Amino acid sequence: MLHRIFGGLFVIAACGGGGILFGRQMKLRQENLLEGRRAVELLQAQIRAQSASLPQALLETGEQTSGIYGELFCEISQELLLYRGEPVRVLWERAARKKLRQPFLRSTDVEQFVMLGEQLGMTDRAMQETILERYLRYTEQELTLLLGEIREKTRLYRNLGILLGIFVTILLL
Amino acid sequence: MEAKDLFLRAFPAPLRGLLQTAAEDFGLLQEVRLRVGQPVFLTYDNREWYLGKTGGRELEAASSVIMTPNLLREMLSFLTNYSVYAAEEELRQGFLSLPGGHRAGICGKLVMEGGQAKTMREINSINLRVAHAHPGCASKVLSRLSLLKKSGNLLIVSPPGCGKTTLLRDLIRQLSVGGFTVGVVDERSEIAACYQGVPGLDLGPRTDVLDGTPKALGMRMLLRGMAPDYIAVDEIGAAEEIQELFTALHCGCHLIATCHARNREELYLKPELSKCLKQRCFQGIVYLSRSKGAGTIEEVEWNAT
């Protein structure tokens, strides 16, 4: 009997933990989008205020940014400076798809970031501003939506997990 | 990095490989012309060729690579170090200076704002000119110039692509090596080919380079700050440049300049410059052509009036 009780408690804890982890994915996505927004804002400042060349702007932004985006920008900058004759969009997409392969990111997050690289460095200053602004607007919208979702759904997923655990336990008992 | 590599990195990968084969002796490649929807032209060993689809030099347009709008856009990105936005000033003037002293002339749609050129969009053709250093090419001219001693102002005259800048560059180098202090006003970064502040071509040990500075302002700055024996400028002709030229001459400084013109008659048709010539400001005038290849000295006129 004691075994059954402990077993049931483990099932409930495991399902509850699963619910919490599911909710945590949203938190991770939020952190990633915030990181991306910060990196692109820094890049925008490099281009707008210092008129830095794209490889230079990416390198400096990468060095000032922690996490995935810092590594991503440094990698793209290094690739660009090898002058292999590949356009920015190709190098950008390749690096972005490799680095942003994260379970907590939605495919639209990755696609929006890839789209940013399609025009980067290819147009005049006004157009560059528009492209960067478009990405920043996307992250802003997603972050606003996420904030509400996190409040509502984190608790919901946790509770659903616990309920599922109780249900499974009842079935097993 | 070699001049050839610096030049080839302006091209997208598919064209780069073809050009490498077509211009096997890079020293003979003079320019590459690319126009949207048209074959790619090379000037190689003083002859015009098509760039072949398999990488050779072709005489038939049918076997040539055709330039697509996408390839041209990519090229512009490479030419501007992936930063078209940072090259607006140069695009407005219709040319880009490249590392290694090479230069790209650009044509497209000029965007105007308040009567002023703002930038260039919808680029439809690019002309890439290869910078070649020919050490010693100025020896003949220099030996005559040194005979003039105190009054050695020299004007180099030719149509575009005949080697004016190459001759000027070697004159600067030789004067500098010979013990003269030379100040260079390199408005288009063509003479010294400065890239990130460092001259890419040898101009000798006593040469000071004012890079990216308008000629008139540069001459004034050099006179005030650097006390040069010679001032060297490329493509002189505007009224304010001639004004500064007179100032420099009155300060005891010698001048070496270049100017676009086919011959003497055409040279004297330039209103501002003709004032200078009539006052015998230049004691030597060198006319170049391409009759026996770029840099052919057609005529040297001393003490011209």
Side-chain angles (χ1 to χ4, degrees), chain A residues 140-166:
Chain A
E140 199 59 57
Q141 280 167 5
E142 289 300 304
L143 283 167
T144 314
L145 286 172
L146 257 179
L147 203 67
E149 272 185 37
I150 287 171
R151 261 193 232 119
E152 288 168 22
K153 292 187 178 167
T154 310
R155 200 179 300 160
L156 178 74
Y157 289 144
R158 188 190 59 206
N159 293 344
L160 277 175
I162 293 169
L163 282 173
L164 179 71
I166 293 169

Side-chain angles (χ1 to χ4, degrees), chain A residues 66-81:
Chain A
S66 56
I68 297 174
Y69 291 93
E71 289 170 20
L72 181 62
F73 281 13
C74 285
E75 189 181 317
I76 298 170
S77 168
Q78 282 158 7
E79 284 285 323
L80 287 174
L81 291 171

